[in-house]
Amino acid sequence: MAVMNYSDAARKAVREAMRADDAVWCVGEDLGRGGVFGQYRGLQDEFGPARIADAPISEAAIMGAAFGAAMVGTRPIVEMRFSDFALCAVDELVNQIAKARYMFGGQSRAPMVIRQPMGMWRSSAAQHSQSLESWYTHAPGLIVICPSTPQDNYSLLKAAIECDDPVVYFEHKNMWGLDGDVDTAEAAVIGEARTRTHGDDVTIVSWSQTANFAVEAAETLAGEGIGAQVVDLRSLWPWDKNAVLDSVNKTGRLIVAHESVAVGGFGAEVVAIVSEKVGAALHGRVRRLGAPRALIAYAPNLENKMRVTAEMIVDAARDLMQ
Amino acid sequence: MNQANFDRERGVKLLTTMERIRAFEENAVLAAERDKLVLGAIHPSFGQEAAAAGVLWPLRTDDYLISTHRGHGHTLAKGADPIAMMRELLGREGGCCGGKGGSMHIADFNVNMLGANGVVGANITIGAGAAHGVKLQGGDQVVVDIFGDGAANRGPFLEGLNWAVVFQLPIIFVCEDNQYAATTKTTSVTGGDGPAARAASLGLTTQTLDGNDVEAITDAVTETITRIRNGGKPEFLHVVTYRQKGHTSFDQAAYRPDGEADKQMADNDPIQRQKNVLAAVGVAADEMQAIHDAAQAEMASALQTAADTPFPDEALAFTDVQDVGSPVVEAF
Ligand SMILES: Cc1ncc(C[n+]2csc(CCOP(=O)(O)OP(=O)(O)O)c2C)c(N)n1
Ligand SMILES: [Mg+2]
């Protein structure tokens, strides 16, 4: 067990995977200098410029070429710099990578990890702040992972690299410096949630940075005698329906909270499944917290209007307890 | 043509490949129009067979091919099994892709054919990546990446070609220019001096070839592949041919100037041209007729076999999506 930050935990996962398997390589802009957030720092020194490859600003080619290289036997880690720029490569990701295995009748696989730094950071405005994870859950063939802690960024990134199907891997930009304990012996299973807090009164389903806000909210609520069970999904596809349903069966109340826009967000999918399976038992005690369907502004006070905070989660829980 | 040095055996084999491609597609069109057995769109390559036969000639089986929606010819020339291909067109069990892809996604990884593509231009970056993967693994395979004239107007053309130059990859890009992109004359929507000029501006060595002269294409590609395999740089071939029929088998192509296609078919058909070449070096008409008849018989039989094959098991609708996560919510 060691304390490390979210960024270093990921770097450790990549380094270990590259040492273990020559087929693993990374490609993206500015990786030789460590990547824009330093999450690749030092890796080119160890592995050289062929395996930590500096790409031109050609997102479609980064994605497409990595896919071609995957089809002939390598295991690329694709760095998209900001999840917003991955939109320049959506054809490659959604029409090509996600579909290849199926369309070609199982002849081909695309063992790739597509790293997409996501979310609001600080005054980065509308094109450098988005959380678009729900889009990719809608594309059959893709796995979608959103780690919220250094531990998960270590073990889930390792699991993603080992996975033989394409994984869209969302790291939250605001958490690069977040410290936490990392047990390198802990292996993650894609699709298993982590129950972050236990409680009998309300279930809070979340992921990525908002899951940490949910844990904060649960601590506040505990002080008021309200037991909140935070289920950090960690992976949105596949997602751990059992963990959510078990918890909701116990608490009878559900909050879903995410940074992305509420409309069409993955929280809606969670609520839909819970409604189908145990809807009557909930008696309408459901709240969905997500961003307004507006754009993310530059000015901090405007930007804040888009945030889902721990206080909002606390309020929603109090409301459900009425 | 230097008759003394003419490689008769190669010439006959090239004719055979072209005849097989044409026969395959004639049968595929019959299956679509007469028999209503091909349910989706097919994009035949009538008139373009020389590009497929010539470009693929010097490739080893372990070299890679990546192709387009108009890729039956390339796939056959790479060595794919026509019965598996015809089954794929008919969506049947035992198709190259198990009936899941159809004509536009035909792929045969047994012969390193990495797939046709339903998205114009998408295969340019992917092909560059296949070459990147070869280089990373220290292989000596070459990638042949074929796309149309229309694809030169998509972004991947710039990104993929630049990529191959930046990383010095073992790939030959082939722009198979049939002069049309769907119903549009491509030059009417293309700025500058065309695909080869664009490629040259990115630092690729380029050649422009008569795309209906199978001997010339074969010679040029043989040399090019040798250069690339010996550690050379990526190269670009602009192969100018003509699409004799419509964009899909259902397109009558009435938008073309009167007489244009008739003239091309009469004077510039690649199969007839190769027959003339072979006749001039003494190949008997009977031998060529026998090649034609054998190709027709082979492909008619492939169609019959495919038509007699059942559709895939319904359970396959949900296989090969991904290893984790059930595709069917209700199955939870
Ligand atoms: C990105 C994209 N845009 C449009 C289409 C529709 N489409 C299919 S083939 C085609 C024409 C392509 O022309 P070209 O690249 O010259 O290839 P050809 O059909 O002549 O072989 C078009 C527009 C498509 N499949 N993909
Ligand atoms: Mg064309």
Side-chain angles (χ1 to χ4, degrees), chain A residues 61 96 101-102 107 109 165, chain B residues 109 117 129 159 317 320 322-323:
Chain A
Q96 312 294 337
R101 178 177 173 187
Y102 189 90
Q107 295 182 86
R109 300 294 292 265
D165 288 314
Chain B
F109 282 66
N117 211 302
E159 293 197 14
D320 279 319
Q322 56 192 77
D323 286 340

Side-chain angles (χ1 to χ4, degrees), chain B residues 48 69-70 147-151 176-182 184 186 243 247:
Chain B
Q48 304 175 211
H69 57 283
R70 205 176 301 284
F147 47 86
D149 39 292
E176 185 176 323
D177 182 351
N178 60 12
Q179 307 185 35
Y180 284 87
T184 302
T186 309
R243 193 192 76 202
H247 173 56

Side-chain angles (χ1 to χ4, degrees), chain A residues 35-280:
Chain A
V36 275
F37 299 108
Q39 70 276 49
Y40 296 85
R41 194 174 294 129
L43 294 180
Q44 200 178 58
D45 294 337
E46 177 171 352
F47 299 106
R51 290 182 69 199
I52 300 290
D54 279 318
I57 307 166
S58 300
E59 283 73 16
I62 295 170
M63 194 77 84
F67 170 48
M71 283 203 294
V72 303
T74 75
R75 303 181 74 89
I77 297 173
V78 171
E79 177 55 54
M80 278 285 117
R81 193 180 193 116
F82 281 71
S83 65
D84 314 74
F85 307 149
L87 303 188
C88 301
V90 164
D91 175 59
E92 288 72 15
L93 180 52
V94 174
N95 266 329
Q96 312 294 337
I97 293 168
K99 294 176 183 167
R101 178 177 173 187
Y102 189 90
M103 278 190 321
F104 298 151
Q107 295 182 86
S108 135
R109 300 294 292 265
M112 311 172 58
V113 182
I114 295 98
R115 294 178 75 178
Q116 299 202 19
M118 69 178 285
M120 279 186 271
W121 182 33
R122 50 166 170 72
S123 287
S124 298
Q127 295 175 339
H128 292 70
S129 301
Q130 293 170 98
S131 296
L132 299 177
E133 69 277 13
S134 70
W135 291 20
Y136 301 93
T137 66
H138 202 68
L142 299 177
I143 289 165
V144 181
I145 294 181
C146 299
S148 61
T149 63
Q151 175 69 62
D152 285 342
N153 210 15
Y154 172 79
S155 23
L156 278 167
L157 187 50
K158 275 202 127 170
I161 296 167
E162 281 161 18
C163 178
D164 289 330
D165 288 314
V167 177
V168 189
Y169 194 87
F170 287 98
E171 289 159 289
H172 200 292
K173 299 194 286 289
N174 203 40
M175 295 201 291
W176 292 121
L178 179 78
D179 283 326
D181 285 333
V182 175
D183 175 1
T184 53
E186 186 188 306
V189 175
I190 293 172
E192 266 182 20
R194 187 193 293 279
T195 300
R196 301 274 299 269
T197 67
H198 291 270
D200 294 334
D201 298 319
V202 57
T203 299
I204 307 173
V205 175
S206 191
W207 54 90
S208 190
Q209 183 177 235
T210 311
N212 297 339
F213 299 162
V215 171
E216 271 179 53
E219 285 161 7
T220 306
L221 290 164
E224 300 174 12
I226 299 172
Q229 179 141 336
V230 174
V231 180
D232 181 350
L233 286 185
R234 306 198 289 176
S235 123
L236 300 190
W237 191 267
W239 66 284
D240 196 338
K241 301 182 187 84
N242 286 321
V244 172
L245 289 171
D246 287 351
S247 179
V248 172
N249 275 325
K250 179 175 68 169
T251 64
R253 296 180 186 83
L254 173 65
I255 296 171
V256 293
H258 53 70
E259 180 172 324
S260 49
V261 169
V263 176
F266 197 72
E269 176 68 20
V270 174
V271 171
I273 292 282
V274 171
S275 305
E276 282 176 0
K277 303 290 176 190
V278 296

